[in-house]
Amino acid sequence: MPSPPTSAVLGREEWTARAAAHEARIDRWTEPHRERRRRGESHPVLDFLFSYYSQAPGRLRRWHPGPGTQLAGPAPHADWRWYAADGATVHLDAEAYVADRGDTVRFVRGLLAATASRPAFSGCFGLHEWAMVYRDTRTRHAVPLRLGREGTDAVVEAHPIRCTHFDAFRFFTPQAVGRNRLQPTRESQADLEQPGCLHAGMDLYKWAYKLSPAAPGDLVADCFELAVEIRELDMRASPYDLRAHGYEPVAIETPEGKAAYVAAQRGFAERGAVLRARLVDLCDQLLGAS
């Protein structure tokens, strides 16, 4: 177990600037979301980031310094859970945090380390979204299917499906379940999750905010922005026609679409590997400090 990190002290001017920069960075996404909610509008792509992922926009824009950093001067963090004051500074009380949230820290570390140990698989072509509407009269979003009902079913039937991610697989239609080469369960999640999976990449954001307030604000924001980009590819490659919302399709039923999908997927896997390592290091810092 690594030793606790050396403590650093941020002056009030520096940490308030970091907090303001974090809020401005996050507001690029939260402000349009709040405005849509005020108008009673939904968004078939971006709402997912605030509905499936349960972090409230207000909490997402709240900046945290992470373990091993003290904030000089009066800081609102002093009144937040798992923070402690030490004379004129405020810091995350890592020991108290792990005492309460240690099981979560260990679970997240174990899952992410197991995922990182496997090669990235890039031959799924985003067919999980197609399997969610296969041979069903309903769709998950109020937008039309790009190839129609029969065309959508034909794409599913023409491709092998190998979805490793339980939280995607659990939304397959009953007719699509048996077409998946794997049968993921919650219990087998750590055994099957692999770094090429788009949903595993998006979920880095979930694990980051699950570790809040211990997760530094820049790490949470980096994971969130990756999730935004992955979500856009996920839906562009889906059976839905989202051109009215400004998203050009990635036609995975064609060789050109498959190539474009795989190239983007590999790029996301590389970026996700860096964030996954940072999250594992964070978990090690917390467990070492405790």
Side-chain angles (χ1 to χ4, degrees):
M1 189 67 65
S3 300
T6 302
S7 181
V9 179
L10 297 182
R12 180 171 176 79
E13 183 175 345
E14 182 176 358
W15 70 255
T16 54
R18 292 190 187 188
H22 174 81
E23 292 173 1
R25 181 182 182 186
I26 294 301
D27 281 347
R28 176 187 173 192
W29 305 106
T30 57
E31 281 303 308
H33 175 72
R34 293 177 190 274
E35 183 58 34
R36 286 192 300 271
R37 290 184 63 183
R38 282 192 288 267
R39 296 195 302 262
E41 297 176 0
S42 61
H43 195 289
V45 177
L46 300 178
D47 281 357
F48 178 85
L49 299 160
F50 302 100
S51 56
Y52 176 80
Y53 293 115
S54 59
Q55 178 82 324
R59 288 189 176 274
L60 175 58
R61 70 193 301 270
R62 181 180 288 183
W63 177 80
H64 295 282
T69 299
Q70 299 181 59
L71 307 179
H77 304 65
D79 296 325
W80 300 349
R81 190 178 183 188
W82 295 308
Y83 278 90
D86 184 11
T89 64
V90 176
H91 65 277
L92 177 79
D93 187 339
E95 186 172 353
Y97 176 83
V98 174
D100 290 342
R101 302 280 294 161
D103 288 346
T104 296
V105 176
R106 284 182 281 270
F107 171 81
V108 171
R109 193 207 182 281
L111 176 63
L112 296 184
T115 303
S117 71
R118 302 186 182 100
F121 175 70
S122 56
C124 66
F125 306 122
L127 285 163
H128 56 276
E129 287 288 343
W130 299 70
M132 293 178 191
V133 296
Y134 177 63
R135 291 193 177 182
D136 200 337
T137 58
R138 301 164 296 173
T139 59
R140 295 177 58 79
H141 303 284
V143 290
L145 296 175
R146 181 167 55 83
L147 302 180
R149 173 60 55 197
E150 291 184 2
T152 299
D153 291 347
V155 170
V156 174
E157 292 164 0
H159 293 80
I161 303 177
R162 185 183 171 184
C163 179
T164 57
H165 193 75
F166 172 70
D167 283 314
F169 177 70
R170 66 190 177 98
F171 292 108
F172 280 25
T173 64
Q175 298 89 336
V177 167
R179 289 185 167 274
N180 197 32
R181 290 184 177 181
L182 302 168
Q183 299 292 302
T185 64
R186 181 66 70 201
E187 292 70 26
S188 66
Q189 184 175 11
D191 298 321
L192 294 180
E193 203 136 303
Q194 53 87 17
C197 171
L198 292 194
H199 277 262
M202 282 190 284
D203 278 356
L204 292 172
Y205 166 56
K206 175 171 69 175
W207 304 127
Y209 74 71
K210 290 286 188 184
L211 294 172
S212 290
D218 64 320
L219 177 55
V220 176
D222 288 347
C223 291
F224 178 76
E225 289 188 350
L226 179 63
V228 172
E229 294 182 46
I230 294 177
R231 173 62 177 174
E232 290 177 353
L233 174 65
D234 196 34
M235 293 303 289
R236 289 176 61 212
S238 78
Y240 298 103
D241 189 345
L242 294 162
R243 283 171 286 194
H245 294 270
Y247 299 94
E248 287 298 315
V250 176
I252 56 93
E253 71 275 11
T254 68
E256 297 79 11
K258 285 182 172 65
Y261 184 90
V262 168
Q265 184 179 28
R266 288 174 177 170
F268 288 140
E270 291 175 1
R271 291 169 58 189
V274 175
L275 296 176
R276 191 173 287 108
R278 288 170 63 188
L279 286 166
V280 170
D281 285 347
L282 170 64
C283 292
D284 286 342
Q285 284 186 22
L286 293 169
L287 296 171
S290 69

